[in-house]
Amino acid sequence: MDWHSNHEHDYPYSRGSLMEIRLQNFLIYSDCKFRIGPNMNLIVGPNGSGKSSIVCAVCLGLAGSESILGRAKRAKDFIKHGEMEATIEITLFDPPANTIVKSIIKQDSDMQSSTTKWFINGKSKLKKEVAQLVRDYNIQIDNFCQVLPQDKVVEFARLSNEDLLKETEKTIKPELYQKHEELLKFQESRENYEKQIKNKEESLKYLEDLNKELFFRVEKYRDREKNQDKLRLLTMKRYWVEYENEKSKYFQYKEDVQSLTAKLRTLKDVRMIQEKARNDLSIKLKDVKANRDDLSAAAKDYQREIDTGKSKSKTLIEKGENLTKNFEEKKAEEEVKVSRIQDLTKELASYEEELNKRPSREKLQKEIDENETKIQQLEISKKQLVDKIRPIQDRYDEITAKMNEIQQKLIEAKDIRSIRLNKVEKMCHDTYMAEKWLTQNKNKFQYPDEICGPILAEINMMDERFAKYVEDYITYRDMLAFVFSDKQDMKLFLDEVTTKHNLRVNAVIADPLPIDHYKPVRPIDDMRKYGFICYMNTQIEAPSVLLKYLYSRYAIYKIPMATEPNQTNTQLIVDKFKVYNFYIADDHYVCRQSLYGLRKISTRITAVREARLLNSHVTEEDINKLNSEKDDLQAEYESLKSQLENIQAELNPIEKDINQFRQDKKICESKKNQLDLLEDKMNRCTASMKDIQAVSFNIEDEDCKLFNTLIKLDIEKLKHVVEMESKAKQYTNNVMNTISALVHLFGIIRELNQHHQNLAQTENEIKQYDEERRRKKEEINLLKDSAFAKLTIAKKNCGVDYNQELPTSLKEQLASLPDNIEEVNDEIKLEQSKLQLITKEDGSCIDEYEKNNSTISTMKYEIDKLYRKVSSDEDKAKKCIESWTEGISDMTASINQKFRHFFNQLDCVGEVKLRENENYEFDKYAIEIWVKFRSKEKIQLLNSQLQSGGERSVATIIYLISLQEFTICPFRIVDEINQGMDPQNEKMIFEFLVAVSSSSKISQYLLITPKLLPNLCYDGKVTTLFVYNGPYMLDQEQWNLHRLISN
């Protein structure tokens, strides 16, 4: 649409001022034209009507960057939704013809990027040419002091004091800003030079310290060379001493061999004499051994005869003892037989007496037959009753099984939580372990009854059809969460399971508000005709603390659900019921309504998969149904039980009589068996007595026979004793002769052993001397070879051939050294120890030492050169520093004068100060705004901690007003700077802006605001643009102001 100002433009524009802005397909505008007044322009309209879009159009249309606006990052995002290109046309005042800058933003076919075409007065131009034209008009789009978009108001208020100085320099005196930038570069250059100098000085110090260490290493290297020379000379000497020692040993060993040869000759003569004496004794020993063997054979014969006699005597003695023992045993057995017959006679008499007392066998058999007949009659009656009870018992057992099955189902229904916990274990073992810990340790918490979880295990669905919607709506992470009502309880739980047990779990806090606080937007009855059955909260059974969390976090009381598909328009549901989130059949609908334009609704539809976690459920209705079925079965169970008891009452006396008759029959059979047992015992007693009496034994006859036999055995034993005495005498004489022969034999053996020892000793000495002589001869050969080899090595180490003599100088050096091998070795060890104490260095340390000396000289020259460069740059910058510091001081003083004046009019105190730096660190120079809004306060630095948002807005806008007279720019734009101000300050600021913008020296002003206070003062230079936007607005071509006024 085309809005016109409420008066004719009687006042001239300044060069570069905005005259007209036309927008086509830009953000919310299809085609719109704005005419801008030369002074103050108020752009007023409600939020979302498109006021800030004018700022965006000015910034983008004058080659500004999208980042200035703080909105979209790409130009294509400013094209109206559904269009492919947008046009911005801006008319700038520049008599006589004015300047028209036009830009066309065109979206590429891939819808991912865009291109912008630029025109000046109808001619195609590059963006940089448009930017240059804007700079020529002194328009600074990126300077917050000239253009302050809505999204950058807070950013401007948060500018650091250092950045505020730079923005002020750009606005008032760009040349100061250029000098500032040059000084910052100079500061950076100086810091770089100082850094280089510091690095080089550190490197120089490092090299100097390193060379101090290298100096000692070089000295050590030279000392080591001297020690190594002496060690080489000592090594040569050791070879010569070893040679001389080997040669001396050679001649000594030759003398030892001659001495050993003489000793061997003497020992061999002694050995011949000892061998003759040994042979004579060996012959004598054979004769004595033969005599001893004959005597020993005779003694053995006598011994065998004596042993035979002893054996016969022993046999006779044992025979007599056995006969006596047998007689005594038979005598004892006869006495036992007599006693046994007496006992059996008494036992047989007792059995006969007991048998006479018992009833007869015939009587007992008659009683048994009578009892058996009665039992058979009663069994028939019992069978009739059992046949009657069997179908009743079967039905009774069937009902009992069904009741047990229902009871099991009721138990399982109550244990649904265990089933869910099994699923939790498979999904997340950490959560399962945390639940086990929580169950065992609930007494540790302050509110144990208000803790539950995981959520999956606590939820019970009223109707399984809605389980899939709940699973889809509640996140997987929350399904495994634990719910607490107290933060301290949750902290204790997380400390235990995460820190101590290293488990990864999720825990949440429930809303303290009661469940009654949450109400649905509309009753579900109003929505039933569109297919909705219920809200989600009505289908969930859970502990109250869990429901509170679901109500507050997921708003389940607002989620309607329909299990069957319908054709209802989502727009209708949103408009009529204000419901933006709902489920229909297998789909989840999430609606979003645009805040702009026609406020269209966009809908995201996602498929809902079947329930996998909450489908195992039992409702109260199911439990009631099971209990009802159980009650019905219980009634029949009691009826059948009564019938069984009645029949059992008839059956019990019959079974009792049967048992009694069987008991009587059993007693009669037992008595009959006892008669058989008594008769059997009597027969066995009679048989035993006959067996005992059949065997007879006469003690007197047997005693006489035993006496005669023992006399005969004693006579035979006496004969054997006489024979053994004669043999014993002969054996004794033979043993004495054998002992004498042995004594003589042992004497000869001892003498022969002594001869053997002497001969062996002589042989051993001969072997030792012979071996030693052989070894000495071998060593002589070795010593000869060794001496030759050592002489060769010694000459080789001295650097001469075998046939050459040593140089005289070398002989003198070797002669000065010790001739003893131990002393030479000691001196070698001493020199080696010295070498070990001296750190081993290679020759490269000398090269490194010299190279470092050269580098040190070069670095000293470079450091001196850098110092001269820094001094030269400081001399060049002195004039720039003086003019810049003087310029910003004057600029700050001028701004401060205006700033103080405006703040005094508000009955407040305000100052603008320049913060300087004694060390000329130019990045620390800054402008500081100091304010005091209340009389009792001290003046304070403006920042977000000390002042409110409204107070900072007042200070910001007054600072911008203070810059007006010092800057030359065609126009200024401020978007919603008055937000957060109190009415008094807002009115005062408005009057300031009107007064300042009405001055001929001040540039054009655009103030954008969603509201204005009543009773503000407007003068004739204020242009007011009212912005309204909506689906029922007229097209700008149909708009006519005069017609509106006349109507």
Side-chain angles (χ1 to χ4, degrees):
M1 303 189 75
D2 187 4
W3 286 271
H4 300 268
S5 60
N6 57 0
H7 66 278
E8 295 296 327
H9 296 303
D10 300 325
Y11 301 97
Y13 292 85
S14 59
R15 183 174 179 271
S17 296
L18 299 169
M19 293 189 70
E20 189 174 276
I21 304 170
R22 183 168 185 177
L23 305 177
Q24 292 178 322
N25 297 327
F26 184 82
L27 290 176
I28 65 172
Y29 294 106
S30 298
D31 190 1
C32 184
K33 186 187 294 182
F34 302 88
R35 291 178 183 171
I36 312 300
N39 300 106
M40 168 63 78
N41 290 269
L42 289 177
I43 302 176
V44 185
N47 288 328
S49 60
K51 304 184 302 299
S52 298
S53 299
I54 301 172
V55 183
C56 297
V58 173
C59 291
L60 294 179
L62 296 179
S65 172
E66 294 86 353
S67 61
I68 299 171
L69 302 171
R71 286 193 171 191
K73 296 182 180 180
R74 299 174 297 179
K76 67 179 282 299
D77 297 326
F78 291 90
I79 301 173
K80 186 177 181 182
H81 181 68
E83 302 294 338
M84 293 301 293
E85 67 177 34
T87 303
I88 305 170
E89 189 177 290
I90 300 174
T91 303
L92 302 176
F93 181 75
D94 190 10
N98 294 336
T99 302
I100 299 175
V101 180
K102 183 177 181 181
S103 59
I104 301 174
I105 306 170
K106 188 172 183 180
Q107 192 164 225
D108 295 341
S109 58
D110 60 0
M111 307 299 285
Q112 299 299 317
S113 58
S114 62
T115 56
T116 305
K117 294 182 179 179
W118 299 90
F119 301 89
I120 299 177
N121 294 327
K123 295 181 180 180
S124 179
K125 299 290 182 180
L126 298 175
K127 184 177 180 179
K128 63 181 181 180
E129 294 176 306
V130 176
Q132 182 59 48
L133 175 69
V134 171
R135 283 194 294 272
D136 292 342
Y137 286 128
N138 198 29
I139 298 172
Q140 301 176 26
I141 296 296
D142 58 346
N143 191 327
F144 290 159
C145 295
Q146 287 192 20
V147 179
L148 190 58
Q150 176 185 351
D151 295 323
K152 293 292 184 176
V153 170
V154 176
E155 187 175 336
F156 178 79
R158 291 178 180 173
L159 277 178
S160 67
N161 295 327
E162 292 80 5
D163 292 334
L164 183 60
L165 173 60
K166 292 181 182 180
E167 295 295 328
T168 306
E169 287 175 333
K170 287 183 191 176
T171 304
I172 297 178
K173 290 185 178 181
E175 64 275 10
L176 284 179
Y177 176 72
Q178 292 175 0
K179 288 181 180 180
H180 194 176
E181 289 295 310
E182 290 176 4
L183 290 174
L184 287 174
K185 290 178 182 177
F186 161 70
Q187 179 184 339
E188 184 180 0
S189 174
R190 182 180 64 186
E191 289 174 353
N192 287 335
Y193 285 140
E194 288 174 350
K195 189 176 180 181
Q196 290 180 39
I197 290 170
K198 182 181 177 181
N199 291 338
K200 288 185 179 294
E201 286 179 341
E202 289 176 354
S203 300
L204 176 63
K205 185 177 183 307
Y206 170 74
L207 287 174
E208 287 176 343
D209 293 342
L210 184 61
N211 254 22
K212 286 180 183 178
E213 296 178 4
L214 286 174
F215 175 76
F216 294 109
R217 289 175 60 192
V218 169
E219 290 299 314
K220 288 179 182 178
Y221 178 78
R222 290 170 180 160
D223 291 342
R224 187 178 178 83
E225 287 291 314
K226 291 179 183 177
N227 288 341
Q228 285 178 338
D229 291 341
K230 186 174 181 182
L231 184 60
R232 281 194 294 271
L233 198 63
L234 285 167
T235 304
M236 293 179 192
K237 179 67 176 180
R238 182 172 63 183
Y239 287 129
W240 281 104
V241 171
E242 288 176 350
Y243 164 68
E244 292 296 335
N245 289 343
E246 290 294 302
K247 187 170 77 170
S248 174
K249 281 183 183 180
Y250 172 75
F251 289 111
Q252 179 64 42
Y253 275 34
K254 285 189 75 173
E255 292 177 1
D256 291 343
V257 168
Q258 292 174 358
S259 173
L260 288 170
T261 303
K263 287 181 179 180
L264 279 171
R265 194 177 298 115
T266 302
L267 286 170
K268 286 179 179 179
D269 293 340
V270 171
R271 183 178 62 184
M272 289 177 64
I273 296 170
Q274 290 175 341
E275 286 178 347
K276 184 176 183 304
R278 183 195 64 185
N279 294 334
D280 293 342
L281 282 172
S282 294
I283 294 168
K284 188 175 180 182
L285 181 62
K286 286 180 181 180
D287 296 339
V288 173
K289 278 185 176 181
N291 184 32
R292 182 206 62 186
D293 292 341
D294 293 339
L295 290 172
S296 295
K300 288 179 180 180
D301 292 338
Y302 288 133
Q303 182 67 42
R304 277 194 294 274
E305 290 177 359
I306 291 170
D307 291 340
T308 302
K310 284 181 178 181
S311 177
K312 289 180 179 180
S313 296
K314 184 177 180 182
T315 301
L316 291 172
I317 291 170
E318 289 176 352
K319 186 177 180 181
E321 290 175 351
N322 289 334
L323 290 171
T324 303
K325 183 178 180 181
N326 289 334
F327 174 77
E328 294 296 332
E329 288 175 354
K330 288 181 179 180
K331 185 178 178 181
E333 287 177 0
E334 188 64 24
E335 292 174 355
V336 170
K337 284 180 183 180
V338 173
S339 175
R340 176 63 177 160
I341 289 171
Q342 292 173 355
D343 292 338
L344 288 172
T345 303
K346 292 179 181 180
E347 185 177 353
L348 183 61
S350 67
Y351 288 154
E352 288 175 350
E353 183 181 357
E354 185 177 355
L355 184 62
N356 295 328
K357 291 179 181 179
R358 292 181 180 275
S360 65
R361 186 183 302 274
E362 291 76 12
K363 184 179 180 181
L364 289 173
Q365 184 62 46
K366 183 179 179 182
E367 289 180 5
I368 290 170
D369 294 339
E370 289 175 354
N371 286 327
E372 181 63 29
T373 302
K374 291 178 181 178
I375 289 170
Q376 289 176 359
Q377 292 173 352
L378 289 172
E379 283 290 348
I380 293 170
S381 301
K382 178 182 176 182
K383 184 176 183 302
Q384 292 174 350
L385 290 173
V386 169
D387 292 341
K388 184 178 179 182
I389 205 174
R390 184 173 291 112
I392 299 173
Q393 183 67 45
D394 292 343
R395 179 58 181 166
Y396 178 82
D397 294 340
E398 181 183 352
I399 290 174
T400 303
K402 286 184 179 180
M403 290 177 66
N404 291 337
E405 183 181 353
I406 291 171
Q407 185 64 31
Q408 185 61 34
K409 287 182 180 179
L410 289 171
I411 292 170
E412 290 177 357
K414 293 177 182 178
D415 200 30
I416 190 69
R417 194 172 187 277
S418 299
I419 298 172
R420 295 277 179 78
L421 284 175
N422 291 336
K423 293 184 179 181
V424 170
E425 183 179 16
K426 294 176 182 178
M427 294 165 65
C428 180
H429 186 69
D430 284 4
T431 303
Y432 178 76
M433 296 304 295
E435 192 279 335
K436 288 183 68 177
W437 181 89
L438 179 62
T439 303
Q440 297 168 2
N441 297 276
K442 273 201 173 182
N443 59 333
K444 295 183 178 180
F445 296 94
Q446 187 175 1
Y447 302 102
D449 295 334
E450 297 183 13
I451 302 172
C452 67
I455 290 176
L456 170 60
E458 302 291 349
I459 289 178
N460 190 25
M461 295 303 301
M462 300 293 293
D463 190 332
E464 189 173 348
R465 294 178 299 166
F466 302 103
K468 62 182 179 180
Y469 302 141
V470 177
E471 280 189 28
D472 179 75
Y473 192 56
I474 300 175
T475 63
Y476 180 87
R477 177 177 172 80
D478 272 2
M479 275 293 191
L480 299 175
F482 294 84
V483 185
F484 295 81
S485 64
D486 182 68
K487 289 184 178 180
Q488 293 300 322
D489 282 351
M490 186 174 77
K491 183 177 183 299
L492 172 62
F493 172 73
L494 292 176
D495 287 344
E496 285 286 342
V497 299
T498 60
T499 305
K500 296 183 180 179
H501 295 82
N502 199 24
L503 301 175
R504 298 180 64 183
V505 298
N506 182 28
V508 296
I509 286 287
D511 195 308
L513 292 174
I515 293 175
D516 296 341
H517 174 77
Y518 303 98
K519 302 293 183 183
V521 178
R522 284 291 189 90
I524 194 63
D525 292 337
D526 295 350
M527 304 175 68
R528 291 193 190 279
K529 65 180 179 179
Y530 298 103
F532 292 105
I533 299 174
C534 59
Y535 285 108
M536 185 176 288
N537 63 307
T538 63
Q539 294 299 320
I540 295 177
E541 279 187 351
S544 61
V545 66
L546 172 54
L547 287 176
K548 288 180 182 180
Y549 175 71
L550 296 178
Y551 272 70
S552 60
R553 171 69 178 82
Y554 289 97
I556 58 175
Y557 61 94
K558 292 182 180 180
I559 311 299
M561 299 179 292
T563 57
E564 298 298 328
N566 60 64
Q567 302 300 321
T568 305
N569 191 336
T570 56
Q571 179 75 42
L572 176 62
I573 294 174
V574 173
D575 291 342
K576 188 168 183 177
F577 301 109
K578 304 301 180 186
V579 174
Y580 296 90
N581 198 333
F582 50 89
Y583 287 89
I584 298 176
D586 294 330
D587 296 317
H588 181 196
Y589 293 77
V590 179
C591 303
R592 297 285 186 271
Q593 189 166 20
S594 173
L595 297 175
Y596 302 99
L598 299 177
R599 299 176 65 81
K600 291 183 178 179
I601 292 177
S602 61
T603 304
R604 176 169 59 87
I605 304 173
T606 56
V608 179
R609 65 181 180 181
E610 291 300 323
R612 297 179 298 112
L613 306 176
L614 300 175
N615 50 354
S616 296
H617 76 287
V618 177
T619 64
E620 286 295 331
E621 182 181 351
D622 295 334
I623 294 174
N624 292 336
K625 185 178 179 181
L626 289 171
N627 284 327
S628 176
E629 187 177 348
K630 181 182 176 184
D631 293 341
D632 294 342
L633 291 173
Q634 183 70 32
E636 187 177 357
Y637 171 83
E638 294 296 336
S639 173
L640 292 172
K641 184 178 179 181
S642 176
Q643 294 179 37
L644 288 173
E645 288 175 351
N646 293 334
I647 296 172
Q648 190 66 42
E650 297 178 20
L651 187 62
N652 287 339
I654 295 174
E655 288 181 342
K656 184 177 179 181
D657 292 343
I658 290 173
N659 292 333
Q660 182 62 47
F661 287 131
R662 283 178 177 168
Q663 186 68 26
D664 294 343
K665 178 184 175 183
K666 188 175 182 181
I667 292 171
C668 292
E669 289 176 346
S670 175
K671 289 179 179 180
K672 184 179 177 182
N673 292 334
Q674 288 176 359
L675 287 177
D676 294 338
L677 183 61
L678 282 172
E679 289 176 355
D680 183 60
K681 286 181 179 179
M682 290 173 65
N683 293 331
R684 282 202 301 272
C685 286
T686 303
S688 297
M689 289 173 65
K690 289 179 180 179
D691 292 338
I692 293 170
Q693 291 171 354
V695 180
S696 61
F697 180 76
N698 192 329
I699 295 175
E700 294 178 356
D701 292 343
E702 292 295 327
D703 189 19
C704 184
K705 288 180 183 178
L706 176 63
F707 179 76
N708 295 327
T709 304
L710 290 176
I711 290 174
K712 291 179 181 178
L713 290 174
D714 288 341
I715 294 170
E716 191 174 352
K717 282 192 289 184
L718 184 60
K719 290 180 181 178
H720 287 299
V721 169
V722 173
E723 291 178 1
M724 286 170 58
E725 184 178 2
S726 174
K727 297 290 182 181
K729 289 180 180 179
Q730 294 175 357
Y731 173 75
T732 302
N733 293 331
N734 188 276
V735 168
M736 293 299 295
N737 295 330
T738 303
I739 291 170
S740 298
L742 285 172
V743 171
H744 187 206
L745 177 64
F746 289 152
I748 295 172
I749 289 172
R750 278 196 299 273
E751 187 177 356
L752 184 61
N753 288 338
Q754 185 63 44
H755 281 288
H756 278 301
Q757 289 177 2
N758 293 337
L759 184 61
Q761 184 177 357
T762 303
E763 287 286 349
N764 190 35
E765 289 179 0
I766 290 172
K767 283 182 180 180
Q768 287 178 356
Y769 284 127
D770 190 41
E771 178 64 26
E772 187 176 358
R773 184 178 67 173
R774 183 190 62 76
R775 185 172 54 78
K776 291 282 187 183
K777 285 182 178 181
E778 290 177 354
E779 288 182 359
I780 286 171
N781 293 330
L782 292 173
L783 286 170
K784 184 177 180 180
D785 296 338
S786 176
F788 178 77
K790 289 186 180 297
L791 178 62
T792 304
I793 293 170
K795 287 191 174 185
K796 183 177 180 182
N797 273 276
C798 293
V800 297
D801 293 336
Y802 179 76
N803 298 322
Q804 291 179 335
E805 291 293 329
L806 293 178
T808 305
S809 60
L810 183 58
K811 283 183 178 180
E812 292 174 354
Q813 288 178 342
L814 292 174
S816 65
L817 297 174
D819 292 327
N820 186 283
I821 188 68
E822 286 79 10
E823 293 179 3
V824 173
N825 286 332
D826 290 342
E827 290 211 18
I828 287 173
K829 289 178 182 178
L830 178 62
E831 293 302 322
Q832 287 175 341
S833 299
K834 289 180 180 179
L835 284 173
Q836 289 177 352
L837 292 173
I838 300 172
T839 306
K840 187 175 182 182
E841 301 287 350
D842 55 15
S844 63
C845 65
I846 297 176
D847 297 336
E848 186 179 356
Y849 179 76
E850 297 298 332
K851 182 180 178 181
N852 287 347
N853 277 335
S854 174
T855 306
I856 288 169
S857 300
T858 303
M859 291 184 72
K860 285 181 178 178
Y861 171 76
E862 290 176 353
I863 291 170
D864 184 59
K865 185 178 178 181
L866 286 171
Y867 274 119
R868 290 197 302 272
K869 177 65 176 171
V870 170
S871 178
S872 174
D873 288 349
E874 286 178 349
D875 292 339
K876 292 177 183 178
K878 278 182 181 179
K879 292 181 180 181
C880 183
I881 294 171
E882 291 174 0
S883 63
W884 179 72
T885 53
E886 184 178 347
I888 60 173
S889 297
D890 294 342
M891 177 187 74
T892 308
S894 301
I895 297 170
N896 182 46
Q897 185 178 358
K898 288 288 183 184
F899 191 78
R900 293 179 64 182
H901 169 70
F902 289 133
F903 252 81
N904 288 337
Q905 292 186 31
L906 292 173
D907 293 331
C908 299
V909 178
E911 293 182 8
V912 176
K913 299 180 181 180
L914 176 66
R915 188 180 73 203
E916 302 183 63
N917 186 272
E918 296 178 357
N919 299 322
Y920 291 109
E921 295 179 8
F922 305 107
D923 57 342
K924 294 183 180 178
Y925 277 76
I927 282 182
E928 296 179 342
I929 300 176
W930 292 74
V931 293
K932 183 175 79 167
F933 287 94
R934 285 164 284 278
S935 59
K936 294 182 181 180
E937 293 180 347
K938 294 181 180 180
I939 191 168
Q940 296 174 323
L941 183 65
L942 183 69
N943 60 43
S944 59
Q945 285 78 33
L946 299 176
Q947 289 84 24
S948 66
E951 290 172 343
R952 293 199 303 275
S953 296
V954 170
T956 301
I957 194 64
I958 290 180
Y959 184 78
L960 293 176
I961 295 171
S962 302
L963 302 182
Q964 305 306 305
E965 293 185 6
F966 306 107
T967 59
I968 302 172
C969 62
F971 60 84
R972 299 180 190 280
I973 302 175
V974 179
D975 193 356
E976 297 193 14
I977 192 66
N978 58 333
Q979 294 303 303
M981 294 184 189
D982 59 69
Q984 182 181 352
N985 286 335
E986 185 177 352
K987 184 175 182 181
M988 185 70 71
I989 293 301
F990 180 79
E991 291 174 355
F992 284 163
L993 287 173
V994 172
V996 171
S997 62
S998 299
S999 172
S1000 59
K1001 298 180 182 180
I1002 301 303
S1003 57
Q1004 184 183 47
Y1005 229 100
L1006 276 77
L1007 177 62
I1008 299 173
T1009 178
K1011 65 179 179 63
L1012 284 176
L1013 293 173
N1015 302 319
L1016 294 177
C1017 296
Y1018 301 91
D1019 63 12
K1021 296 180 180 181
V1022 176
T1023 300
T1024 305
L1025 301 176
F1026 292 98
V1027 180
Y1028 291 97
N1029 200 359
Y1032 305 108
M1033 293 296 293
L1034 291 175
D1035 187 87
Q1036 69 165 353
E1037 301 298 334
Q1038 301 174 2
W1039 172 257
N1040 188 303
L1041 178 62
H1042 299 293
R1043 186 170 64 215
L1044 176 65
I1045 294 172
S1046 63
N1047 290 337

